[in-house]
Amino acid sequence: MKPVVGMVVSNKMQKSVVVAVDRLFHHKLYNRYVKRTSKFMAHDEQNQCNIGDRVRLDPSRPLSKRKNWVVAEILKKARIYAPPPSPKKGVTSPENN
């Protein structure tokens, strides 16, 4: 098997992630390109992956019942959303006066 590139959709397990891999193929009857998604469980030894990261997976020996892939590298880290700090109650700002 060759390496695949996908997006991390779940990292709730210890040392494991679920990666969604999209592929396009040409449908002969409809003469259109169709997108299909496959989900692979992969081993993440250092727990470095977060949801939204773009990763490259390499095939490996079976590590568990559903885990046959290893995260080779993180190609692009996801931007983590941090909400802006909310103003504290009871404190008036110069803008409100």
Side-chain angles (χ1 to χ4, degrees), residues 5 21 28 30-31 51 66 70-71 82 89 91 95:
V5 175
V21 176
K28 292 178 183 170
Y30 298 140
N31 198 22
I51 294 176
R66 294 186 55 216
V70 174
V71 175
K89 292 183 180 177
V91 178
E95 299 168 355

Side-chain angles (χ1 to χ4, degrees), residues 15-26:
K15 296 188 178 183
S16 298
V17 291
V18 178
V19 178
V21 176
D22 294 331
R23 61 186 172 88
L24 285 175
F25 66 94
H26 187 261

Side-chain angles (χ1 to χ4, degrees), residues 34-46:
V34 183
K35 183 167 90 169
R36 292 281 186 251
T37 302
S38 301
K39 285 185 179 179
F40 298 115
M41 286 186 64
H43 186 66
D44 179 21
E45 184 62 40
Q46 282 84 31

Side-chain angles (χ1 to χ4, degrees), residues 2-95:
K2 64 178 185 175
V4 294
V5 175
M7 192 81 65
V8 176
V9 293
S10 173
N11 65 344
K12 293 184 178 182
M13 300 161 283
Q14 297 174 5
K15 296 188 178 183
S16 298
V17 291
V18 178
V19 178
V21 176
D22 294 331
R23 61 186 172 88
L24 285 175
F25 66 94
H26 187 261
H27 197 288
K28 292 178 183 170
L29 179 64
Y30 298 140
N31 198 22
R32 299 275 190 270
Y33 282 95
V34 183
K35 183 167 90 169
R36 292 281 186 251
T37 302
S38 301
K39 285 185 179 179
F40 298 115
M41 286 186 64
H43 186 66
D44 179 21
E45 184 62 40
Q46 282 84 31
N47 279 330
Q48 293 177 338
C49 295
N50 287 318
I51 294 176
D53 289 351
R54 193 149 183 82
V55 296
R56 181 170 58 86
L57 302 179
D58 284 341
S60 72
R61 64 180 177 82
L63 300 169
S64 68
K65 182 179 178 180
R66 294 186 55 216
K67 207 160 60 163
N68 298 326
W69 298 86
V70 174
V71 175
E73 66 175 313
I74 300 174
L75 301 174
K76 184 178 179 189
K77 295 291 279 183
R79 290 178 29 187
I80 308 296
Y81 173 74
S86 60
K88 295 180 182 176
K89 292 183 180 177
V91 178
T92 58
S93 64
E95 299 168 355

